[in-house]
Amino acid sequence: MTFISEFFADGATIRFGGRTTGAEVLEAKRKFFGHKFEKNPVYVLCDFTHVEKLEVSADDIERIVSQDLRAAHKNPALAEVIIAPEPHQFGLARMWEQQVTDERPHTHVTKTREGAIQWLKEQDITVGG
């Protein structure tokens, strides 16, 4: 498996690495949405910093978007930030963001962890808190 999920009381960090496929991103998000949190999750941080090869197609993006939108009604205020340092990753993440933003307006794509943490702070969210 090319992802590691770290769950907290109110959110999670998902770190992807190595060769990562669209199916693995879909599975990681499925596990997030299915996790039994202590309270409603307020954030998910998806980190693609250590991905060496990202194999995600436009069809994969559609499946991920569909899954996210199905879960949106359960977590309407969920903040999701994606760290995508490479141009290909960033472009795919922005494609996802543009398709979910109407129903999930609390999304952000950045190239650095610092940018992700700062954006979450602006949403009054502390990672791991």
Side-chain angles (χ1 to χ4, degrees):
M1 194 94 12
T2 60
F3 66 88
I4 297 171
S5 299
E6 187 175 8
F7 294 99
F8 304 99
D10 62 348
T13 296
I14 305 170
R15 290 182 178 90
F16 297 91
R19 177 184 163 271
T20 298
T21 66
E24 290 164 329
V25 174
L26 192 67
E27 177 65 9
K29 298 286 294 287
R30 184 194 66 74
K31 287 185 176 188
F32 170 78
F33 289 123
H35 185 77
K36 303 294 182 204
F37 288 92
E38 292 176 28
K39 51 187 174 180
N40 282 343
V42 295
Y43 77 93
V44 58
L45 186 157
C46 297
D47 187 347
F48 289 85
T49 302
H50 298 289
V51 171
E52 295 167 12
K53 185 172 187 179
L54 185 60
E55 296 177 358
V56 176
S57 68
D59 288 341
D60 291 330
I61 296 290
E62 283 184 32
R63 284 189 284 278
I64 295 164
V65 165
S66 293
Q67 176 178 260
D68 285 3
L69 293 178
R70 284 191 306 271
H73 70 282
K74 293 180 183 177
N75 301 298
L78 181 70
E80 181 165 355
V81 62
I82 297 176
I83 303 169
E86 299 299 324
H88 176 70
Q89 298 168 355
F90 194 86
L92 289 170
R94 289 285 295 134
M95 184 186 307
W96 162 85
E97 184 180 36
Q98 290 173 347
Q99 294 180 53
V100 300
T101 197
D102 286 343
E103 294 193 41
R104 292 197 46 218
H106 306 289
T107 61
H108 184 66
V109 179
T110 183
K111 294 183 178 185
T112 65
R113 180 165 181 82
E114 294 79 17
I117 299 302
Q118 180 60 38
W119 182 80
L120 286 168
K121 282 182 184 176
E122 292 167 7
Q123 313 306 307
D124 292 322
I125 297 170
T126 303
V127 173

